[in-house]
Amino acid sequence: MTARRPGAGAGAGFGDLLRPLAPQVLGALVRRYGHFDTAEDAVQEALIAAAAQWPERGVPDDPRAWLITVASRRLTDLLRAEQARRRREDAVAAFRLPEEWLSPAADGPPRDADDTLILLFMCCHPVLAPDLQIALTLRSVGGLSTGEIARAFFVPEPTMGQRISRAKRRIRDSRVPFRPPAPAERAERVAAVLHVLYLIFTEGYASTAGPGLYRPDLSAEAIRLARMAHRLLPGDGEAAGLLALMLLTDARRPARMSPDGSLVPLAEQDRTLWRAGDIAEGLELVAATLPHGPAGPYQVQAAIAALHDEAASAAETDWPQIAALYEVLLGISGNPMAALNHAVAVAMARGPAAGLALLEALDTDRRIAGHHRLHAVRAHLLEMSGDTAAARESYLAAAERTHSVPEQRYLNARAARLSPPP
């Protein structure tokens, strides 16, 4: 296998190359060999080998095939080392149909769909409880760390680690075959699949930890998978709504950060930087799905995003309609983040006092009471009301609770701006 010159593709963008390859390689191995949990270990070791060898020897012309080859060899070693796997052929024959033995080569093109999408549906198999489906998919397909997934679910990191381990054991013990689900099975898993893609996108668009404001690799992968899900389920309004929501939201990303790396809030963004093509595609999806039948949560959120994107300026935003749509969303789902965003919309439409009153109910909601966004929203509304001292304290409280460096800088800067003169 030929390679590029040493250092090509390595360096600062090296992780950007490996991250999208990881689920593809895992999908290829599971499709060919099974053994989900052991295959994931083999893929991780192949990624470590790539990180150690490619910077010096150069990136292979086909990085995916290189990773599959290395991971396959390591998987074989792991299987041979496990005494419980010595009768693997008999165990596989017990739960696979004869035609399933005629699998294509692991590094060959998949027969029916992208390996990553098949892996996604596998992670959302009914043998797993919904929380395990989402946790395993975020880990195996999205590549998120256990800590990032824990913050997405508002649970302690050790708790999330236990969930992921339990999910892997359940997949292994249930011997779930790696193949595209039948239409009936697919329908059962759609809700979990869409929720997983939404969480992957959210982590990519607004990273919960680290020095960067966003992780475009994750948001791009979520959009890619959402496109595939939309093609697979062309009549599903929520699949279209989720894709629209992602496009309409990600279209603003070029304006979310200033040249010095500072966070730029929505109201202060240069809207000429927003990607018009993504907005047009998102609006078309919303127009095509909302008129047909009851709207689901992703369609409603897409409609809210559309109102933001259609406004020529922050002052022209239709806040009363946005507040009304959040009320519809709260009637569908009791998500605390939706309640928090509803409070912001109400404040913008009716004044900060109305929004602050709604925040009081969230103070007792354990899912969000300690979250930095609750403190940040309260700080913003207090500043709008003229209570700068209380706003400053809330900004500082929010900065202490976020793990995102850009958000910390932004919140601390807002607090410093409200400090009393010496």
Side-chain angles (χ1 to χ4, degrees):
M1 208 178 278
T2 58
R4 302 173 191 159
R5 60 180 176 80
F14 193 67
D16 295 338
L17 174 62
L18 290 178
R19 182 177 295 277
L21 288 175
Q24 298 177 31
V25 175
L26 177 59
L29 260 66
V30 176
R31 169 169 51 83
R32 176 64 175 170
Y33 303 107
H35 299 283
F36 184 94
D37 52 344
T38 310
E40 188 175 43
D41 291 340
V43 171
Q44 291 302 314
E45 294 197 22
L47 294 174
I48 292 172
Q53 297 178 28
W54 291 1
E56 294 183 1
R57 303 180 185 178
V59 178
D61 288 339
D62 190 342
R64 178 178 177 272
W66 188 97
L67 288 168
I68 289 174
T69 299
V70 174
S72 297
R73 291 171 181 166
R74 184 54 183 152
L75 177 61
T76 301
D77 292 340
L78 291 172
L79 292 174
R80 287 173 177 170
E82 296 177 15
Q83 185 160 357
R85 303 296 187 186
R86 288 181 178 176
R87 296 182 179 179
R88 176 174 176 272
E89 301 299 327
D90 291 338
V92 173
F95 71 93
R96 287 195 176 181
L97 298 174
E99 57 267 25
E100 291 184 274
W101 288 97
L102 303 176
S103 299
D107 57 352
R111 291 169 299 182
D112 301 309
D114 183 275
D115 274 338
T116 307
L117 186 60
I118 301 175
L119 180 64
L120 182 61
F121 277 114
M122 181 181 186
C123 290
C124 297
H125 196 278
V127 299
L128 299 178
D131 61 332
L132 299 185
Q133 293 174 346
I134 296 167
L136 182 60
T137 307
L138 286 170
R139 183 72 183 91
S140 299
V141 181
L144 275 66
S145 70
T146 303
E148 290 167 340
I149 303 171
R151 285 189 290 276
F153 281 94
F154 308 106
V155 299
E157 186 170 342
T159 300
M160 184 54 64
Q162 293 172 3
R163 289 184 187 178
I164 294 172
S165 297
R166 189 161 64 250
K168 291 178 183 178
R169 290 195 299 269
R170 186 69 58 81
I171 287 289
R172 179 196 63 201
D173 295 343
S174 300
R175 296 174 175 177
V176 175
F178 189 83
R179 61 186 178 191
E185 295 174 320
R186 193 169 59 209
E188 294 174 359
R189 300 186 224 170
V190 166
V193 166
L194 297 183
H195 187 47
V196 165
L197 296 182
Y198 174 76
L199 288 175
I200 295 174
F201 174 80
T202 300
E203 179 61 32
Y205 185 75
S207 183
T208 58
L213 178 61
Y214 45 75
R215 296 166 62 180
D217 52 344
L218 286 183
S219 55
E221 180 68 5
I223 291 172
R224 185 183 76 85
L225 291 173
R227 288 189 186 281
M228 296 177 67
H230 177 48
R231 288 198 300 269
L232 190 62
L233 302 165
D236 191 287
E238 279 291 82
L242 178 60
L243 177 57
L245 174 61
M246 291 181 180
L247 291 169
L248 291 167
T249 304
D250 198 58
R252 308 175 204 141
R253 181 157 51 86
R256 292 185 66 230
M257 182 178 290
S258 65
D260 65 359
S262 302
L263 183 153
V264 180
L266 180 62
E268 301 173 17
Q269 290 177 12
D270 180 357
R271 301 187 177 214
T272 64
L273 298 177
W274 291 359
R275 292 194 295 265
D278 287 349
I279 293 175
E281 184 181 357
L283 292 176
E284 184 178 350
L285 285 166
V286 171
T289 59
L290 273 181
H292 305 292
Y298 298 118
Q299 292 166 278
V300 175
Q301 290 179 78
I304 293 170
L307 288 172
H308 282 295
D309 287 10
E310 287 178 313
S313 66
E316 297 176 61
T317 303
D318 189 346
W319 286 109
Q321 188 172 351
I322 289 175
L325 285 171
Y326 271 120
E327 290 171 9
V328 172
L329 183 60
L330 288 172
I332 300 173
S333 168
N335 187 297
M337 284 299 177
L340 187 62
N341 291 330
H342 175 242
V344 173
V346 168
M348 299 303 294
R350 306 173 198 167
L356 287 167
L358 291 174
L359 293 186
E360 293 180 5
L362 295 178
D363 288 332
T364 58
D365 190 330
R366 290 182 297 177
R367 296 173 298 172
I368 198 173
H371 199 276
H372 78 277
R373 282 208 61 204
L374 176 59
H375 293 277
V377 167
R378 176 174 284 110
H380 177 59
L381 300 190
L382 287 169
E383 184 178 359
M384 286 177 59
S385 70
D387 191 347
T388 56
R392 179 178 180 275
E393 293 303 315
S394 291
Y395 277 128
L396 291 174
E400 291 176 357
R401 287 166 172 79
T402 182
H403 297 274
S404 168
V405 174
E407 285 188 341
Q408 288 174 352
R409 291 173 179 165
Y410 170 78
L411 293 166
N412 282 323
R414 299 288 292 191
R417 189 170 58 82
L418 298 178
S419 297

